[in-house]
Amino acid sequence: MSTSTRTARERLARRKKSMAWTFCLVLVLSMALPLGAYLVTTPGAVAQPAGERFSEEHATNPRSDTWRHARADGEGFTTASGPYVTNQLISNIGENWRQMRNGPVKAVGSWVMGLSLAAVALFFLVRGRIRLDGGRSGMTVPRWTVFERSVHWFVAISFIILSITGLSLLFGRHVLIPLMGNAGFAGYAQAAMYVHNFLGPAFGVALLVMILMWIRNNIPTGTDLKWFATGGGLIGKGHPSAGKLNGGEKVWYWLGVVIMGSIVVVTGFILDFPNWGQSREIMAWSQVLHAVVAMFWIAFAFGHIYIGTLGTEGAFEGMAKGRVDTNWAKQHHDLWYDELIQQGVKPEPAEEAGATAPSPEPAAGQKPTS
Amino acid sequence: MARMKFLCDAERCIECQACVTACKNEHEVPWGVNRRRVIVMDDGVPGEKAVSVACMHCTDAPCAAVCPVDCFYTTDDGVVLHDKDLCIGCGYCFYACPFGAPQFPQQTAFGVRGKMDKCTFCAGGPEPAHSEAEQVKYGTNRLAEGKLPLCAEMCATKALIAGDGNVLSDIYRKRLIKRGGRPQTWGWQAAYGQEA
């Protein structure tokens, strides 16, 4: 009984073992056998000398080579001439660019801009307007010169115009054609395109002036790290120290104006001057980069615009009139204010007597009405 | 309805440019604008192949998909046309088209291109057929007269054929059967031998 069970057990074990080995053998052979063809065929039969291309024994279809070449952006010869004539039979960039522009570019761009607006609105509802701690002192110090303000407002107004015209070309088909109709939108789009294309280069030049003008104010320092550590004054009590420009403003300068601005301006020039002879491929990818970076920049600008106008009491007049209230300067840019006083700048009373009175704006952030 | 197609038989095309000339002359196409062009692959080496290329009147046309002003439309015959009154000359259709069909009358700084122009399959445009406006903007409307595109009509070797896609594929299939399907038995090699 026991021996028979043992043999039965042994038999079962043997069978299992042989099954396992058989399975392994099948696996190995199934992988190895197809490779046997590699040994049979003479290596180097793939590369044929040009003379043997049509010989019968290696019957490669000459047509397949031709069409493969054509399919892979291959270029041929054409007698036709003109600025938009190409010698490519099939250009692959076209479909790829279409998929990119009509898919991810539109989707990502609209989401990024929408989320940015939502974040700004949410911040306003939660935190409200950042008030001056001690109200206004009625005394002001100079912050931005006339030249600086002129450059800033030229860039700012151009930015808004370029954003609206540019976004009209990207999203107009979905948003504006249903409103204006095809003919109405085409007229608007023609004007928008010309405004965009002629204002763009001027914007680029002004942006370069702005970058050079403010680079010395935007050198990162240790103070900025402390400013970031307190979240620009949002975390904890009191206000972090800052020089003429705080950490947030420096990020806007470097990431927004310098990096994003340069990408948008350079790609814009590539698109705006087709007479420089760049290929369709370069122009198509420039368009993708231009649109994506511009929309990220617009999303970033929403934050900048909010902080400079609605978000912070006393900030806007610095760029509008050039002078800021001393209390605003002490609260937001204390190091810069101390430096000014040391340099012997005397605070002067504000031009309008009304400016000393508390502004009759609704207290934001309390309970939003409607 | 018929779906209009062009088909260029690369075994027959001899790069004579008759299609190009016919098109330019029929539609009074300005200098620098080429609605149709002949491209030669492997030009000057044995086995060179010439193909006449124009707008392919795609089913899912990339030009129409990227046009910011949505000026493209497809006729009942499957011909892709566009409305020059709506076109703003942004050049996007030129980036998107795999065949380089869209053309523009000028190329200057600030992206000024003028209105896009392309092959219309000799079917004019949105204006009333045979009107002065249609003639000036889009050229002759031969389809409205029951005629096929002139480039194909004038092709001496009948390499370029145009018309209903089903008819074209029947013609081409018969040719392939006649040739035996093997490239070695037709074209360059048949004329000049294997070791050309």
Side-chain angles (χ1 to χ4, degrees):
Chain A
M1 189 71 182
S2 63
T3 52
S4 67
T5 51
R6 197 182 306 149
T7 50
R9 214 180 285 147
E10 277 171 9
R11 240 181 279 145
L12 189 69
R14 213 180 299 143
R15 202 181 303 148
K16 271 188 180 169
K17 206 184 276 182
S18 69
M19 273 170 70
W21 278 112
T22 309
F23 182 68
C24 285
L25 190 69
V26 168
L27 262 184
V28 169
L29 282 178
S30 66
M31 283 189 274
L33 279 176
L35 290 172
Y38 203 69
L39 304 171
V40 178
T41 54
T42 44
V46 187
Q48 292 171 23
E52 289 180 31
R53 194 170 146 190
F54 306 119
S55 56
E56 285 289 343
E57 55 267 30
H58 332 277
T60 92
N61 183 342
R63 227 57 79 242
S64 62
D65 292 339
T66 304
W67 295 122
R68 205 174 293 117
H69 173 65
R71 193 66 191 81
D73 285 337
E75 293 184 342
F77 167 81
T78 181
T79 54
S81 63
Y84 290 90
V85 169
T86 64
N87 59 349
Q88 265 184 342
L89 206 56
I90 297 167
S91 153
N92 289 296
I93 176 64
E95 279 288 66
N96 296 344
W97 175 72
R98 165 206 175 162
Q99 303 290 356
M100 277 299 289
R101 178 186 176 270
N102 288 5
V105 171
K106 281 182 179 177
V108 170
S110 44
W111 272 105
V112 164
M113 291 186 297
L115 287 174
S116 166
L117 266 184
V120 165
L122 191 71
F123 183 82
F124 177 70
L125 293 176
V126 172
R127 184 70 176 73
R129 195 163 203 225
I130 293 168
R131 298 247 160 229
L132 288 175
D133 286 344
R136 289 175 186 275
S137 65
M139 301 298 275
T140 59
V141 285
R143 182 155 168 86
W144 303 113
T145 65
V146 174
F147 178 72
E148 285 173 319
R149 280 178 286 146
S150 308
V151 172
H152 174 272
W153 287 117
F154 180 82
V155 168
I157 292 164
S158 305
F159 184 93
I160 292 166
I161 294 170
L162 289 164
S163 301
I164 292 168
T165 52
L167 292 173
S168 299
L169 290 184
L170 188 60
F171 296 109
R173 196 166 156 171
H174 311 293
V175 180
L176 296 175
I177 286 183
L179 295 174
M180 299 174 161
N182 257 320
F185 176 71
Y188 163 75
Q190 182 76 79
M193 189 188 83
Y194 280 137
V195 167
H196 196 91
N197 287 359
F198 283 87
L199 187 58
F203 172 80
V205 171
L207 201 77
L208 186 65
V209 171
M210 185 190 252
I211 288 170
L212 297 174
M213 175 172 83
W214 280 336
I215 192 163
R216 59 191 173 82
N217 297 325
N218 280 288
I219 309 300
T221 61
T223 316
D224 301 328
L225 291 176
K226 293 195 197 93
W227 190 91
F228 283 120
T230 60
L234 294 176
I235 303 162
K237 286 233 177 281
H239 281 274
S241 289
K244 180 158 186 177
L245 293 175
N246 64 35
E249 285 169 312
K250 287 179 186 179
V251 169
W252 168 243
Y253 173 86
W254 288 111
L255 185 64
V257 174
V258 176
I259 294 175
M260 291 180 176
S262 302
I263 293 171
V264 167
V265 166
V266 169
T267 52
F269 268 98
I270 291 170
L271 292 166
D272 209 0
F273 292 84
N275 50 328
W276 290 345
Q278 55 274 42
S279 67
R280 269 177 298 180
E281 191 163 15
I282 288 172
M283 291 185 84
W285 290 127
S286 295
Q287 193 278 333
V288 167
L289 202 58
H290 187 81
V292 170
V293 176
M295 286 190 284
F296 271 88
W297 198 16
I298 290 167
F300 201 173
F302 286 147
H304 173 73
I305 292 165
Y306 166 78
I307 292 170
T309 53
L310 185 64
T312 320
E313 189 186 5
F316 185 75
E317 61 219 45
M319 201 42 92
K321 297 180 196 144
R323 301 182 71 84
V324 290
D325 198 274
T326 53
N327 281 358
W328 181 88
K330 286 175 202 166
Q331 184 175 326
H332 294 283
H333 299 274
D334 49 349
L335 301 179
W336 168 71
Y337 180 73
D338 296 344
E339 219 172 286
L340 273 186
I341 299 302
Q342 275 173 12
Q343 285 167 3
V345 175
K346 293 267 188 294
E348 290 167 21
E351 290 163 35
E352 302 135 43
T356 56
S359 48
E361 280 154 354
Q366 305 303 321
K367 273 210 183 88
T369 49
S370 71
Chain B
M1 274 316 258
R3 270 208 67 83
M4 291 299 179
K5 293 287 171 203
F6 281 121
L7 191 151
C8 185
D9 189 341
E11 303 304 321
R12 285 179 172 230
C13 179
I14 56 170
E15 200 202 344
C16 71
Q17 313 284 350
C19 50
V20 175
T21 313
C23 175
K24 270 193 167 289
N25 188 57
E26 177 71 8
H27 302 299
E28 305 283 357
V29 180
W31 283 106
V33 172
N34 291 268
R35 291 184 173 189
R36 178 170 283 289
R37 68 199 188 283
V38 177
I39 293 180
V40 192
M41 308 307 278
D42 304 323
D43 186 38
V45 299
E48 68 170 28
K49 283 282 159 278
V51 186
S52 177
V53 192
C55 173
M56 295 289 192
H57 300 281
C58 305
T59 306
D60 176 19
C63 53
V66 298
C67 179
V69 295
D70 197 14
C71 75
F72 290 86
Y73 63 100
T74 306
T75 67
D76 293 340
D77 293 328
V79 177
V80 177
L81 298 177
H82 73 296
D83 188 338
K84 282 194 182 185
D85 294 343
L86 301 181
C87 173
I88 60 171
C90 68
Y92 285 3
C93 50
F94 178 70
Y95 308 160
C97 178
F99 311 107
Q103 299 282 294
F104 297 88
Q106 50 195 315
Q107 183 171 48
T108 57
F110 300 104
V112 177
R113 293 180 175 85
K115 307 277 187 192
M116 190 270 276
D117 186 275
K118 72 169 187 70
C119 156
T120 62
F121 206 85
C122 289
E127 272 82 6
H130 312 309
S131 64
E132 177 72 19
E134 185 188 54
Q135 176 68 47
V136 168
K137 286 182 204 162
Y138 308 98
T140 318
N141 189 342
R142 289 172 53 87
L143 231 58
E145 300 170 21
K147 298 173 182 169
L148 285 169
L150 195 66
C151 50
E153 298 286 89
M154 289 189 67
C155 180
T157 59
K158 282 288 163 279
L160 182 65
I161 47 179
D164 178 8
N166 295 331
V167 178
L168 298 194
S169 55
D170 277 348
I171 294 169
Y172 192 62
R173 193 184 312 118
K174 281 174 189 152
R175 287 184 188 179
L176 285 184
I177 292 165
K178 208 66 174 175
R179 291 173 201 168
R182 288 182 71 78
Q184 289 83 347
T185 59
W186 194 264
W188 184 282
Q189 297 87 297
Y192 300 105
Q194 297 296 328
E195 300 302 325

